Amino acid sequence: MPTSPDVIDDGLPTAAGGSTPPSATLGGDKKRSIEQIALLIFIVVPFAALVAAVPLAWGRGVSWLDLGLLVGMYYLGCHGVTIGFHRYFTHGSFKAKRPLRIALAVAGSMAVEGPLVRWVADHRKHHRFSDAEGDPHSPWRFGENLPALLKGLWWAHIAWMFNEEQTPQQKYAPDLVEDPAIRAISRHFLTFTIISLAIPPLVGGLVTMSWWGAFTAFFWGSLVRVALLHHVTWSINSICHAVGKRPFKSRDRSGNVWWLAVLSCGESWHNLHHADPTSARHGVMRGQIDSSARLIRWFEQAGWAHDVRWPDASRIDSRRKPVAADPA
Ligand SMILES: [Zn+2]
Ligand SMILES: [Zn+2]
């Protein structure tokens, strides 16, 4: 059984209280090898197909300009979500001066992952009930056997977003609802989506002075970029709650998944994140790449961010499982 739900500070504002988190009731940490292999195939094959299909379908290859737009826009939106929506707005892992607060809200909105306040409310609810009843996107929702897990992965990856039950934003994000600028940015989500999709074709068209250049920039810098970022973000909800190493104490099934670290801007060190949700750094162990933490450090050095919750060695150690108890 997962341990000590009470020691975890999830960074929720007190106004969001009213319900106590139930213990995880969806089972233990048993691994059955056939299920593990099927799970891996389910994860790797479609993703490999997506990656392979793109250059195959596009026999012309990709220009450096389009690739630059893809990578640049990808990491702008990715860090907007990881540093802004997640570590700052959801968990308060640092304090930001007003211009940085607004910039993070805008950058995160460019990721096309829904309005800021809704994103934060859903994610705080995820932490409150992680992998237990009430979690909006647990892959263990339907049970533990193979069909239930495959269904659950689909649910956690995409299907949960179509759930009719919406997280009450006033209850889970009162601190954001009361900030007029944040409210406005959240409400104008569609505008930021249009801007986000329009920047690549605008740049591509102007640089090449051609409609074709605008079109290919739109394909790579807008469509492929958003699809990739979506799947990587959703993988934190699905893959990182199904597989991965679990060296830290958390009451759920969150795991550290090393091969998603660069693409997820450091968010796939998800076991540590659930063990210590307000920590500004998720990749706390040697060699664990966490570009979001690096950028937060630079913001701190520039004087834009302060009161950053950096995890010191004793804090990390206190959240470590006894070695013998780690089944991973
Ligand atoms: Zn999680
Ligand atoms: Zn979180």
Side-chain angles (χ1 to χ4, degrees), residues 83 87-88 92-96 100 104 280 296 305-309:
I83 299 172
R87 301 188 197 193
Y88 173 66
S93 63
F94 61 93
K95 291 193 167 62
L100 179 61
L104 289 172
I296 293 170
H306 58 99
D307 294 326
V308 183
R309 299 202 196 199

Side-chain angles (χ1 to χ4, degrees), residues 19-20 25 37 56 71 80 118 149 183 197 199 208 237 263 291:
S19 55
T20 49
T25 52
I37 293 163
L56 287 177
V71 172
R118 184 197 289 173
L149 182 55
R183 244 183 6 243
L197 295 176
I199 288 173
T208 64
N237 299 337
L263 277 179
S291 55

Side-chain angles (χ1 to χ4, degrees), residues 123 126-127 130 137 236-237 241 254 270 273-274:
H123 191 68
H126 165 62
H127 276 267
S130 49
H137 46 65
I236 305 300
N237 299 337
H241 273 268
S254 54
H270 204 56
H273 175 54
H274 274 273

Side-chain angles (χ1 to χ4, degrees), residues 268-328:
S268 66
W269 308 112
H270 204 56
N271 178 238
L272 180 281
H273 175 54
H274 274 273
D276 188 2
T278 58
S279 169
R281 175 182 296 283
H282 295 183
V284 296
M285 278 140 76
R286 185 186 292 273
Q288 293 187 336
I289 295 170
D290 185 341
S291 55
S292 298
R294 169 60 51 196
L295 282 169
I296 293 170
R297 174 71 88 194
W298 286 345
F299 293 155
E300 187 182 33
Q301 285 167 346
W304 303 339
H306 58 99
D307 294 326
V308 183
R309 299 202 196 199
W310 295 117
D312 59 28
S314 67
R315 181 163 162 157
I316 295 166
D317 284 341
S318 72
R319 284 161 170 80
R320 228 181 265 279
K321 277 183 196 166
V323 175
D326 179 11

Side-chain angles (χ1 to χ4, degrees), residues 109 115 181-195:
S109 300
I182 296 304
R183 244 183 6 243
I185 291 169
S186 192
R187 215 182 303 122
H188 287 93
F189 166 68
L190 195 62
T191 310
F192 289 109
T193 297
I194 292 166
I195 293 169

